Amino acid sequence: MKGKFISIEGIDGCGKSTHVKLLARWLRSHGRKVVITDEPTNGATGRIIKRVLIGKLKLPIAAEALLFAADRAQHISEVIKPALKTGKVVLNERYVSSSLAYQSARGLSINWISSINKHALMPDLGILIDVPVDIAFARIKSSRRLDEFERNLRLQERVRRNYLRIARRERLKIVDNTRSCDEVQAEIRKLVSAVL
Ligand code: TYD
């Protein structure tokens, strides 16, 4: 495939969206065609997941993990692969590592989550934007209403620990986001330049 597939991971409020936007602007200014996308998607399965996230629908955790995997399968075939075929850089907010970090924090085994995500295309680069939970929480609380996962600080602590634990095996590059926005963005650009 001609394009590049980059996934950006991290706990809620870690600064993913801000850095993805800055990265996209920079890539476009260098003549690259960029697609910004995210999971859960707004597709048929993604919409069910969003009802779970706002507490409108209760499902067993295994069913929740399978929905995330199904949503991802649709995302890969309808959005990610077509964009890569035409040479675009795909910046995906959240991917398999989100399922590994969140659904294991909610009680499932990492190996099981990994097995239901075997279909997923491997990114060319995975970035973990790491920030302590209290900093992330203060950021989102001041900007909008929180969903079920975001409100649960103990869950967020477990998610952060899981991310750091799986980083090596999932080949995630850890970027410390307790520094200035410029410093963090510069490091991200360096990582991305290395795979372009
Ligand atoms: P996100 O889109 O980052 O939230 P928002 O749109 O509110 O910024 O993701 C929504 C939530 O879904 C987030 O708490 C993480 C969770 N999630 C999982 O638990 N597993 C997954 O596989 C994915 C992709 C997301």
Side-chain angles (χ1 to χ4, degrees):
M1 260 180 265
K2 291 190 294 183
K4 290 292 170 196
F5 179 25
I6 298 166
S7 70
I8 294 95
E9 297 280 355
I11 61 170
D12 294 285
C14 71
K16 281 187 306 302
S17 305
T18 306
H19 282 290
V20 163
K21 279 190 204 114
L22 292 169
L23 179 60
R25 197 184 301 159
W26 175 73
L27 286 165
R28 287 180 180 129
S29 76
H30 284 78
R32 304 293 301 221
K33 295 231 180 313
V34 179
V35 171
I36 298 181
T37 186
D38 67 341
E39 296 183 11
T41 70
N42 286 320
T45 317
R47 287 202 299 274
I48 303 175
I49 294 172
K50 285 178 184 180
R51 293 183 55 220
V52 174
L53 291 172
I54 56 171
K56 281 255 161 68
L57 177 64
K58 292 259 179 262
L59 288 178
I61 298 167
E64 177 187 299
L66 289 162
L67 286 175
F68 278 112
D71 183 42
R72 185 160 299 130
Q74 187 179 2
H75 193 207
I76 293 166
S77 76
E78 293 179 2
V79 178
I80 299 172
K81 279 191 177 166
L84 292 175
K85 276 194 188 123
T86 57
K88 293 183 179 134
V89 179
V90 177
L91 303 180
N92 189 21
E93 285 186 50
R94 298 197 177 286
Y95 196 55
V96 175
S97 296
S98 280
S99 285
L100 295 173
Y102 280 80
Q103 274 61 58
S104 69
R106 289 167 56 66
L108 296 178
S109 97
I110 295 247
N111 286 342
W112 189 79
I113 303 163
S114 202
S115 71
I116 61 169
N117 280 283
K118 279 232 173 74
H119 63 83
L121 184 70
M122 189 73 185
D124 295 293
L125 172 67
I127 294 174
L128 170 59
I129 301 190
D130 181 54
V131 81
V133 169
D134 52 348
I135 296 182
F137 185 66
R139 265 193 209 139
I140 38 181
K141 213 170 57 171
S142 65
S143 67
R144 58 181 164 80
R145 279 191 59 197
L146 307 179
D147 71 28
E148 297 275 301
F149 287 9
E150 290 166 343
R151 219 172 305 179
N152 187 337
L153 286 192
R154 296 228 311 274
L155 175 77
Q156 296 292 331
E157 288 287 2
R158 287 200 298 275
V159 172
R160 181 177 183 223
R161 265 203 311 276
N162 290 343
Y163 265 132
L164 293 170
R165 210 173 279 153
I166 63 166
R168 185 194 288 264
R169 100 168 210 200
E170 294 304 309
R171 292 196 222 130
L172 295 174
K173 303 280 187 198
I174 303 172
V175 174
D176 168 13
N177 195 14
T178 58
R179 298 166 297 164
S180 77
C181 184
D182 284 354
E183 276 175 282
V184 172
Q185 181 62 202
E187 186 178 345
I188 292 173
R189 289 176 187 179
K190 217 163 157 190
L191 291 168
V192 170
S193 297
V195 299
L196 286 183

